[in-house]
Amino acid sequence: MQAYFVPNENQSPSAEVSIQASTDPVSQKEFIKVMVIGSRKGINSIIKTLHRLRFAEVREGSPPSPYGASGELMSLLRRQIMVD
């Protein structure tokens, strides 16, 4: 599933957000991976927004690294959640 997320209409940085999930049927825990692709400014904006939403701590995301030949960067966040 892919979603385009802009936390504030006044902010111009854009980043692509991709979310993948896998569930462990025994523990009822699900691993969520959030991948953010874009400029350094766009990635930092998304990470700060996820922090403000209490979804993740800023330090939980990987440092931005090069993504493809487009000059964009990528940061990955992996979270474990309980599923009902």
Side-chain angles (χ1 to χ4, degrees):
M1 174 171 71
Q2 291 186 353
Y4 294 93
F5 183 87
V6 178
N8 184 334
E9 292 180 16
N10 298 327
Q11 294 178 337
S12 59
S14 65
E16 179 180 329
V17 179
S18 175
I19 301 173
Q20 300 175 343
S22 61
T23 305
D24 178 0
V26 176
S27 67
Q28 295 299 308
K29 293 182 181 178
E30 186 169 336
F31 292 95
I32 302 292
K33 297 174 192 168
V34 179
M35 182 171 53
V36 183
I37 301 169
S39 68
R40 183 174 302 275
K41 191 174 180 180
I43 290 172
N44 288 338
S45 175
I46 296 297
I47 290 171
K48 289 176 184 176
T49 299
L50 292 174
H51 176 71
R52 281 193 304 272
L53 294 171
R54 297 183 178 169
F55 179 79
E57 293 295 323
V58 172
R59 68 181 180 279
E60 291 178 322
S62 68
S65 58
Y67 179 77
S70 65
E72 292 180 306
L73 299 171
M74 177 205 59
S75 181
L76 183 66
L77 170 70
R78 186 170 182 251
R79 294 281 317 256
Q80 185 175 354
I81 62 170
M82 294 295 293
V83 291
D84 297 333

Coordinates of all heavy atoms in Angstrom, one line a residue:
M1 N 0.9 -1.2 0.0 CA 0.0 0.0 0.0 C 0.9 1.2 0.0 O 1.8 1.3 0.8 CB -0.9 0.0 1.2 CG -1.7 1.2 1.4 SD -2.9 1.1 2.7 CE -1.9 1.2 4.1
Q2 N 0.6 2.2 -0.8 CA 1.4 3.4 -0.9 C 0.4 4.6 -0.6 O -0.7 4.6 -1.0 CB 2.0 3.6 -2.2 CG 3.1 2.6 -2.5 CD 3.9 3.0 -3.7 OE1 3.5 3.8 -4.5 NE2 4.9 2.2 -4.0
A3 N 0.9 5.6 0.1 CA 0.2 6.8 0.4 C 1.1 8.0 0.3 O 2.3 7.9 0.5 CB -0.4 6.7 1.8
Y4 N 0.5 9.1 -0.2 CA 1.3 10.3 -0.3 C 0.8 11.2 0.9 O -0.4 11.4 1.1 CB 1.1 11.0 -1.6 CG 1.7 10.1 -2.7 CD1 0.9 9.2 -3.4 CD2 3.0 10.2 -3.0 CE1 1.4 8.4 -4.4 CE2 3.6 9.4 -4.0 CZ 2.8 8.5 -4.7 OH 3.3 7.7 -5.6
F5 N 1.8 11.6 1.7 CA 1.4 12.3 2.9 C 2.1 13.6 3.0 O 3.3 13.7 2.9 CB 2.0 11.4 4.1 CG 1.6 11.9 5.4 CD1 0.4 11.6 6.0 CD2 2.5 12.7 6.1 CE1 0.1 12.1 7.3 CE2 2.2 13.2 7.4 CZ 1.0 12.9 8.0
V6 N 1.4 14.7 3.1 CA 1.9 16.0 3.3 C 1.3 16.5 4.6 O 0.0 16.7 4.7 CB 1.5 17.0 2.2 CG1 2.1 18.4 2.5 CG2 2.1 16.4 0.9
P7 N 2.0 16.7 5.7 CA 1.5 17.0 7.0 C 0.9 18.4 7.1 O 0.0 18.6 8.0 CB 2.7 16.8 8.0 CG 3.9 17.0 7.1 CD 3.5 16.5 5.7
N8 N 1.3 19.3 6.3 CA 0.8 20.7 6.4 C 0.8 21.2 5.0 O 1.8 21.2 4.3 CB 1.8 21.5 7.3 CG 1.3 22.9 7.6 OD1 0.6 23.4 6.7 ND2 1.7 23.4 8.7
E9 N -0.3 21.8 4.6 CA -0.4 22.4 3.2 C 0.7 23.5 3.0 O 1.0 23.7 1.8 CB -1.8 22.9 3.0 CG -2.8 21.9 2.9 CD -4.2 22.4 2.7 OE1 -4.3 23.6 2.3 OE2 -5.2 21.7 2.9
N10 N 1.2 24.1 4.0 CA 2.2 25.2 3.8 C 3.6 24.7 3.7 O 4.5 25.4 3.3 CB 2.1 26.1 5.0 CG 0.8 26.8 5.2 OD1 0.1 27.1 4.2 ND2 0.3 27.1 6.4
Q11 N 3.8 23.4 3.9 CA 5.1 22.8 3.7 C 5.2 22.2 2.3 O 4.3 21.5 1.8 CB 5.3 21.7 4.7 CG 5.4 22.2 6.2 CD 5.6 21.1 7.2 OE1 5.2 19.9 6.9 NE2 6.1 21.4 8.3
S12 N 6.3 22.5 1.6 CA 6.5 22.1 0.3 C 7.2 20.7 0.1 O 7.0 20.1 -0.9 CB 7.2 23.1 -0.5 OG 8.5 23.4 0.0
P13 N 8.0 20.3 1.1 CA 8.7 19.0 0.8 C 7.7 17.9 0.7 O 6.7 17.8 1.3 CB 9.5 18.8 2.1 CG 9.5 20.1 2.8 CD 8.3 20.8 2.4
S14 N 8.0 17.0 -0.3 CA 7.2 15.8 -0.4 C 8.0 14.5 -0.2 O 9.2 14.5 -0.5 CB 6.6 15.8 -1.8 OG 7.6 15.7 -2.8
A15 N 7.3 13.5 0.2 CA 8.0 12.2 0.4 C 6.9 11.1 0.1 O 5.8 11.3 0.4 CB 8.6 12.1 1.8
E16 N 7.4 10.0 -0.4 CA 6.5 8.9 -0.6 C 6.6 8.0 0.6 O 7.7 7.7 1.1 CB 6.9 8.1 -1.9 CG 6.1 6.9 -2.2 CD 6.6 6.2 -3.4 OE1 7.1 6.9 -4.3 OE2 6.5 5.0 -3.5
V17 N 5.4 7.5 1.1 CA 5.4 6.6 2.3 C 4.8 5.3 1.8 O 3.8 5.2 1.3 CB 4.5 7.3 3.4 CG1 4.5 6.3 4.6 CG2 5.1 8.6 3.8
S18 N 5.6 4.2 2.1 CA 5.1 2.9 1.9 C 5.0 2.1 3.2 O 6.0 2.2 4.0 CB 6.1 2.2 0.9 OG 5.8 0.9 0.7
I19 N 3.9 1.4 3.4 CA 3.8 0.7 4.6 C 3.5 -0.8 4.3 O 2.7 -1.1 3.5 CB 2.6 1.2 5.4 CG1 2.8 2.7 5.8 CG2 2.3 0.4 6.7 CD1 1.6 3.3 6.4
Q20 N 4.3 -1.7 4.9 CA 4.1 -3.1 4.7 C 3.9 -3.8 6.1 O 4.5 -3.3 7.1 CB 5.4 -3.7 4.1 CG 5.7 -3.2 2.8 CD 7.0 -3.7 2.2 OE1 7.8 -4.2 2.9 NE2 7.2 -3.5 0.9
A21 N 3.1 -4.8 6.2 CA 2.8 -5.5 7.5 C 3.0 -7.0 7.3 O 2.7 -7.6 6.3 CB 1.4 -5.1 7.9
S22 N 3.4 -7.6 8.4 CA 3.4 -9.1 8.5 C 3.0 -9.5 9.9 O 3.4 -8.8 10.9 CB 4.8 -9.7 8.2 OG 5.7 -9.2 9.1
T23 N 2.1 -10.5 10.1 CA 1.6 -10.9 11.4 C 2.1 -12.2 11.8 O 2.2 -13.2 11.0 CB 0.0 -10.9 11.3 OG1 -0.4 -9.7 10.8 CG2 -0.6 -11.2 12.6
D24 N 2.4 -12.3 13.1 CA 2.8 -13.6 13.7 C 1.6 -14.2 14.3 O 1.1 -13.6 15.3 CB 3.9 -13.3 14.7 CG 4.3 -14.6 15.5 OD1 3.8 -15.7 15.2 OD2 5.2 -14.5 16.3
P25 N 1.0 -15.3 13.8 CA -0.3 -15.8 14.3 C -0.2 -16.3 15.8 O -1.2 -16.3 16.5 CB -0.6 -16.9 13.4 CG 0.7 -17.3 12.7 CD 1.5 -16.0 12.7
V26 N 1.0 -16.6 16.2 CA 1.1 -17.2 17.6 C 1.1 -16.0 18.6 O 0.3 -16.1 19.6 CB 2.4 -18.0 17.8 CG1 2.6 -18.4 19.2 CG2 2.5 -19.1 16.8
S27 N 1.8 -15.0 18.4 CA 1.9 -13.9 19.4 C 0.9 -12.8 19.2 O 0.8 -11.9 20.0 CB 3.3 -13.3 19.4 OG 3.6 -12.7 18.2
Q28 N 0.2 -12.8 18.0 CA -0.7 -11.8 17.7 C 0.0 -10.4 17.6 O -0.6 -9.4 17.8 CB -1.9 -11.7 18.7 CG -2.8 -12.9 18.6 CD -3.4 -13.1 17.3 OE1 -4.0 -12.2 16.7 NE2 -3.2 -14.3 16.7
K29 N 1.3 -10.4 17.3 CA 2.0 -9.2 17.0 C 2.2 -9.0 15.5 O 2.5 -10.0 14.8 CB 3.3 -9.2 17.8 CG 3.1 -9.2 19.3 CD 4.5 -9.2 20.0 CE 4.2 -9.2 21.5 NZ 5.5 -9.2 22.2
E30 N 2.2 -7.8 15.1 CA 2.3 -7.5 13.7 C 3.5 -6.6 13.6 O 3.7 -5.6 14.3 CB 1.1 -6.8 13.2 CG 1.1 -6.6 11.7 CD -0.2 -6.1 11.2 OE1 -1.3 -6.4 11.8 OE2 -0.3 -5.5 10.1
F31 N 4.4 -6.8 12.6 CA 5.5 -6.0 12.3 C 5.1 -5.0 11.2 O 4.7 -5.5 10.1 CB 6.7 -6.8 11.9 CG 7.3 -7.6 13.1 CD1 6.9 -8.9 13.3 CD2 8.1 -7.0 14.0 CE1 7.4 -9.6 14.3 CE2 8.6 -7.7 15.1 CZ 8.3 -9.0 15.2
I32 N 5.2 -3.7 11.4 CA 4.9 -2.7 10.5 C 6.2 -2.1 10.0 O 7.0 -1.7 10.8 CB 4.0 -1.6 11.1 CG1 2.7 -2.2 11.7 CG2 3.7 -0.5 10.1 CD1 1.8 -2.7 10.6
K33 N 6.4 -1.9 8.7 CA 7.5 -1.2 8.2 C 7.0 0.0 7.4 O 6.2 -0.1 6.5 CB 8.3 -2.1 7.2 CG 8.9 -3.4 7.9 CD 9.5 -4.3 6.8 CE 9.8 -5.6 7.4 NZ 10.1 -6.6 6.4
V34 N 7.6 1.1 7.8 CA 7.2 2.4 7.1 C 8.5 2.9 6.4 O 9.5 3.1 7.0 CB 6.7 3.4 8.1 CG1 6.4 4.8 7.4 CG2 5.6 2.9 8.9
M35 N 8.4 3.0 5.1 CA 9.5 3.5 4.3 C 9.2 4.8 3.7 O 8.1 5.0 3.1 CB 9.8 2.5 3.1 CG 11.0 2.9 2.3 SD 11.5 1.6 1.1 CE 10.0 1.3 0.2
V36 N 10.0 5.8 4.0 CA 9.8 7.2 3.5 C 10.9 7.5 2.5 O 12.1 7.3 2.7 CB 9.9 8.2 4.7 CG1 9.6 9.6 4.2 CG2 8.9 7.8 5.8
I37 N 10.5 7.9 1.3 CA 11.4 8.2 0.2 C 11.2 9.6 -0.2 O 10.0 10.0 -0.5 CB 11.2 7.2 -1.0 CG1 11.4 5.8 -0.5 CG2 12.1 7.6 -2.1 CD1 10.9 4.8 -1.6
G38 N 12.2 10.4 -0.3 CA 12.1 11.8 -0.8 C 13.4 12.5 -0.5 O 14.5 12.0 -0.3
S39 N 13.3 13.8 -0.4 CA 14.4 14.7 0.0 C 14.7 14.6 1.4 O 13.8 14.1 2.2 CB 14.1 16.2 -0.4 OG 13.1 16.6 0.5
R40 N 15.9 15.0 1.9 CA 16.2 14.9 3.3 C 15.2 15.8 4.1 O 14.7 15.4 5.1 CB 17.6 15.5 3.5 CG 18.1 15.4 5.0 CD 19.5 15.7 5.2 NE 20.4 14.9 4.4 CZ 20.9 13.7 4.8 NH1 20.6 13.2 5.9 NH2 21.7 13.1 4.0
K41 N 14.8 16.9 3.5 CA 13.9 17.8 4.2 C 12.5 17.2 4.3 O 11.8 17.3 5.3 CB 13.8 19.2 3.4 CG 13.1 20.2 4.1 CD 13.2 21.5 3.4 CE 12.4 22.7 4.1 NZ 12.5 23.9 3.3
G42 N 12.1 16.5 3.2 CA 10.8 15.8 3.2 C 10.7 14.7 4.2 O 9.8 14.5 4.9
I43 N 11.8 13.9 4.2 CA 11.9 12.8 5.2 C 11.8 13.2 6.6 O 11.1 12.7 7.4 CB 13.2 11.9 4.9 CG1 13.0 11.2 3.6 CG2 13.4 10.9 6.0 CD1 14.3 10.5 3.1
N44 N 12.6 14.3 6.9 CA 12.6 14.8 8.3 C 11.3 15.3 8.7 O 10.9 15.2 9.8 CB 13.7 15.9 8.4 CG 15.1 15.3 8.4 OD1 15.3 14.1 8.7 ND2 16.1 16.1 8.1
S45 N 10.6 15.9 7.7 CA 9.2 16.4 8.0 C 8.3 15.3 8.4 O 7.5 15.4 9.4 CB 8.7 17.2 6.8 OG 7.4 17.6 7.0
I46 N 8.3 14.2 7.6 CA 7.5 13.1 7.9 C 7.8 12.4 9.2 O 6.9 12.1 10.0 CB 7.6 12.0 6.8 CG1 7.0 12.6 5.5 CG2 6.8 10.7 7.2 CD1 5.6 13.0 5.5
I47 N 9.1 12.3 9.5 CA 9.5 11.7 10.8 C 9.1 12.5 12.0 O 8.6 12.0 13.0 CB 11.1 11.5 10.8 CG1 11.4 10.4 9.8 CG2 11.6 11.2 12.2 CD1 12.9 10.2 9.5
K48 N 9.2 13.8 11.9 CA 8.7 14.7 12.9 C 7.2 14.6 13.1 O 6.7 14.7 14.2 CB 9.2 16.1 12.7 CG 10.7 16.3 12.9 CD 11.1 17.7 12.5 CE 12.6 17.9 12.6 NZ 13.1 19.2 12.2
T49 N 6.5 14.5 12.0 CA 5.1 14.4 12.1 C 4.7 13.1 12.8 O 3.8 13.0 13.6 CB 4.4 14.5 10.7 OG1 4.7 15.7 10.1 CG2 2.9 14.3 10.7
L50 N 5.3 12.0 12.4 CA 5.0 10.7 13.1 C 5.3 10.8 14.6 O 4.6 10.2 15.4 CB 5.8 9.6 12.4 CG 5.4 9.2 11.0 CD1 6.4 8.2 10.4 CD2 4.0 8.7 10.9
H51 N 6.3 11.5 14.9 CA 6.7 11.7 16.4 C 5.6 12.5 17.0 O 5.1 12.2 18.1 CB 8.0 12.4 16.5 CG 8.4 12.8 17.9 ND1 8.7 11.8 18.8 CD2 8.4 13.9 18.6 CE1 9.0 12.4 20.0 NE2 8.8 13.7 19.9
R52 N 5.1 13.6 16.4 CA 4.0 14.4 17.0 C 2.7 13.6 17.1 O 2.0 13.8 18.1 CB 3.8 15.7 16.1 CG 4.8 16.8 16.3 CD 4.3 18.1 15.7 NE 4.0 18.0 14.3 CZ 4.8 18.2 13.3 NH1 6.1 18.4 13.6 NH2 4.5 18.1 12.1
L53 N 2.5 12.7 16.2 CA 1.3 11.8 16.3 C 1.5 10.6 17.3 O 0.6 9.8 17.4 CB 1.0 11.2 14.9 CG 0.6 12.3 13.9 CD1 0.5 11.6 12.5 CD2 -0.7 12.9 14.3
R54 N 2.7 10.6 17.9 CA 3.0 9.6 18.9 C 3.1 8.2 18.3 O 2.8 7.2 18.9 CB 2.1 9.6 20.1 CG 2.2 10.9 20.9 CD 1.4 10.9 22.1 NE 1.6 12.1 22.8 CZ 0.8 12.6 23.8 NH1 -0.2 11.8 24.2 NH2 1.1 13.7 24.4
F55 N 3.4 8.1 17.0 CA 3.5 6.8 16.3 C 4.9 6.3 16.5 O 5.1 5.1 16.6 CB 3.3 7.0 14.8 CG 3.4 5.7 14.0 CD1 2.4 4.8 14.1 CD2 4.5 5.5 13.3 CE1 2.5 3.6 13.4 CE2 4.7 4.3 12.6 CZ 3.7 3.3 12.6
A56 N 6.0 7.1 16.6 CA 7.3 6.7 16.7 C 8.2 7.8 17.2 O 7.9 9.0 17.1 CB 7.9 6.3 15.3
E57 N 9.3 7.3 17.8 CA 10.3 8.3 18.3 C 11.2 8.6 17.1 O 11.4 7.8 16.2 CB 11.2 7.7 19.4 CG 10.5 7.4 20.6 CD 10.0 8.7 21.3 OE1 10.8 9.7 21.3 OE2 8.9 8.7 21.9
V58 N 11.7 9.8 17.0 CA 12.6 10.3 15.9 C 13.8 9.4 15.7 O 14.1 9.0 14.6 CB 13.0 11.7 16.2 CG1 14.1 12.2 15.1 CG2 11.8 12.7 16.2
R59 N 14.4 8.9 16.8 CA 15.6 8.0 16.7 C 15.3 6.6 16.2 O 16.2 5.9 15.9 CB 16.2 7.9 18.1 CG 15.4 7.2 19.1 CD 16.1 7.1 20.5 NE 15.3 6.4 21.4 CZ 14.3 6.9 22.1 NH1 13.9 8.2 21.9 NH2 13.6 6.2 23.0
E60 N 14.0 6.2 16.1 CA 13.7 4.9 15.7 C 13.8 4.7 14.1 O 13.9 3.5 13.7 CB 12.2 4.5 16.1 CG 12.1 4.3 17.6 CD 10.7 4.0 18.0 OE1 9.8 4.6 17.4 OE2 10.6 3.2 18.9
G61 N 13.8 5.7 13.4 CA 14.0 5.6 11.9 C 15.5 5.4 11.6 O 16.4 5.9 12.3
S62 N 15.7 4.8 10.5 CA 17.1 4.6 10.0 C 17.6 6.0 9.5 O 16.8 6.8 9.0 CB 17.2 3.6 8.9 OG 16.5 4.0 7.8
P63 N 18.9 6.2 9.5 CA 19.4 7.4 8.9 C 19.1 7.4 7.4 O 19.1 6.3 6.8 CB 20.9 7.3 9.1 CG 21.1 6.3 10.1 CD 20.0 5.4 10.1
P64 N 18.8 8.5 6.8 CA 18.5 8.6 5.3 C 19.7 8.0 4.5 O 20.8 8.3 4.8 CB 18.3 10.1 5.1 CG 17.8 10.6 6.4 CD 18.6 9.8 7.4
S65 N 19.4 7.2 3.6 CA 20.4 6.6 2.7 C 20.0 6.8 1.2 O 18.8 6.9 1.0 CB 20.7 5.2 3.0 OG 19.5 4.4 2.9
P66 N 20.9 6.8 0.3 CA 20.6 7.0 -1.1 C 19.6 5.9 -1.6 O 19.6 4.7 -1.2 CB 21.9 6.8 -1.8 CG 22.9 7.1 -0.8 CD 22.4 6.6 0.5
Y67 N 18.7 6.3 -2.4 CA 17.6 5.4 -3.0 C 17.6 5.6 -4.5 O 17.2 6.6 -5.0 CB 16.3 5.8 -2.4 CG 15.1 4.9 -2.9 CD1 14.9 3.7 -2.5 CD2 14.3 5.4 -3.9 CE1 13.9 2.9 -2.9 CE2 13.2 4.7 -4.4 CZ 13.0 3.4 -3.9 OH 12.0 2.6 -4.4
G68 N 18.1 4.5 -5.2 CA 18.1 4.5 -6.6 C 19.0 5.6 -7.2 O 19.8 6.2 -6.5
A69 N 18.8 5.8 -8.5 CA 19.6 6.8 -9.2 C 19.0 8.2 -9.3 O 19.5 9.1 -9.9 CB 19.9 6.3 -10.6
S70 N 17.8 8.4 -8.6 CA 17.1 9.6 -8.7 C 17.6 10.7 -7.9 O 17.1 11.8 -7.9 CB 15.6 9.4 -8.4 OG 15.5 9.0 -7.0
G71 N 18.5 10.4 -7.0 CA 19.1 11.4 -6.0 C 18.2 11.5 -4.8 O 18.5 12.3 -3.9
E72 N 17.1 10.7 -4.7 CA 16.3 10.7 -3.5 C 17.0 9.9 -2.4 O 17.9 9.1 -2.6 CB 14.9 10.1 -3.8 CG 14.1 11.0 -4.7 CD 12.8 10.3 -5.0 OE1 12.7 9.2 -5.4 OE2 11.8 11.0 -4.8
L73 N 16.4 10.1 -1.2 CA 16.9 9.3 0.0 C 15.8 8.5 0.5 O 14.6 8.7 0.2 CB 17.4 10.3 1.1 CG 18.5 11.2 0.7 CD1 18.8 12.3 1.8 CD2 19.8 10.4 0.5
M74 N 16.1 7.5 1.4 CA 15.1 6.6 1.9 C 15.4 6.4 3.4 O 16.6 6.3 3.8 CB 15.2 5.2 1.3 CG 14.2 4.3 1.9 SD 14.6 2.5 1.7 CE 16.2 2.4 2.5
S75 N 14.4 6.4 4.2 CA 14.5 6.1 5.7 C 13.5 5.0 6.0 O 12.4 5.0 5.5 CB 14.3 7.3 6.5 OG 14.4 7.0 7.9
L76 N 13.8 4.1 6.8 CA 13.0 2.9 7.2 C 12.7 2.9 8.7 O 13.6 3.1 9.5 CB 13.6 1.6 6.7 CG 12.8 0.4 6.9 CD1 11.6 0.4 6.0 CD2 13.7 -0.9 6.7
L77 N 11.4 2.7 9.0 CA 11.0 2.5 10.4 C 10.3 1.2 10.5 O 9.4 0.9 9.8 CB 10.1 3.7 10.8 CG 9.4 3.5 12.2 CD1 10.4 3.7 13.3 CD2 8.3 4.5 12.3
R78 N 10.7 0.4 11.5 CA 10.1 -0.9 11.8 C 9.5 -0.9 13.2 O 10.2 -0.6 14.2 CB 11.1 -2.0 11.7 CG 10.5 -3.4 11.8 CD 11.5 -4.4 11.4 NE 11.0 -5.7 11.4 CZ 11.2 -6.7 12.3 NH1 12.1 -6.4 13.3 NH2 10.7 -7.8 12.3
R79 N 8.2 -1.1 13.3 CA 7.4 -1.1 14.6 C 6.8 -2.5 14.8 O 6.3 -3.1 13.8 CB 6.4 0.0 14.6 CG 6.8 1.4 14.5 CD 7.3 1.9 15.8 NE 6.5 1.6 16.9 CZ 5.7 2.4 17.5 NH1 5.5 3.6 17.2 NH2 5.0 1.9 18.6
Q80 N 6.6 -2.8 16.0 CA 5.9 -4.1 16.4 C 4.6 -3.6 17.1 O 4.7 -2.8 18.1 CB 6.7 -5.0 17.2 CG 6.1 -6.3 17.5 CD 7.0 -7.2 18.3 OE1 8.2 -6.9 18.5 NE2 6.5 -8.3 18.7
I81 N 3.5 -4.1 16.7 CA 2.2 -3.7 17.3 C 1.4 -4.9 17.6 O 1.6 -6.0 17.0 CB 1.4 -2.7 16.5 CG1 1.0 -3.4 15.1 CG2 2.1 -1.4 16.2 CD1 0.0 -2.6 14.3
M82 N 0.5 -4.8 18.6 CA -0.5 -5.9 18.9 C -1.7 -5.7 17.9 O -2.1 -4.6 17.7 CB -0.9 -5.8 20.3 CG 0.1 -6.1 21.4 SD 0.8 -7.7 21.3 CE -0.6 -8.7 21.9
V83 N -2.2 -6.9 17.4 CA -3.4 -6.9 16.6 C -4.5 -7.5 17.3 O -4.3 -8.4 18.1 CB -3.1 -7.5 15.2 CG1 -2.1 -6.7 14.4 CG2 -2.6 -8.9 15.4
D84 N -5.7 -7.1 17.1 CA -6.9 -7.6 17.7 C -7.3 -8.9 17.1 O -7.3 -9.1 15.9 CB -8.0 -6.6 17.7 CG -7.7 -5.3 18.5 OD1 -6.9 -5.5 19.4 OD2 -8.2 -4.3 18.1

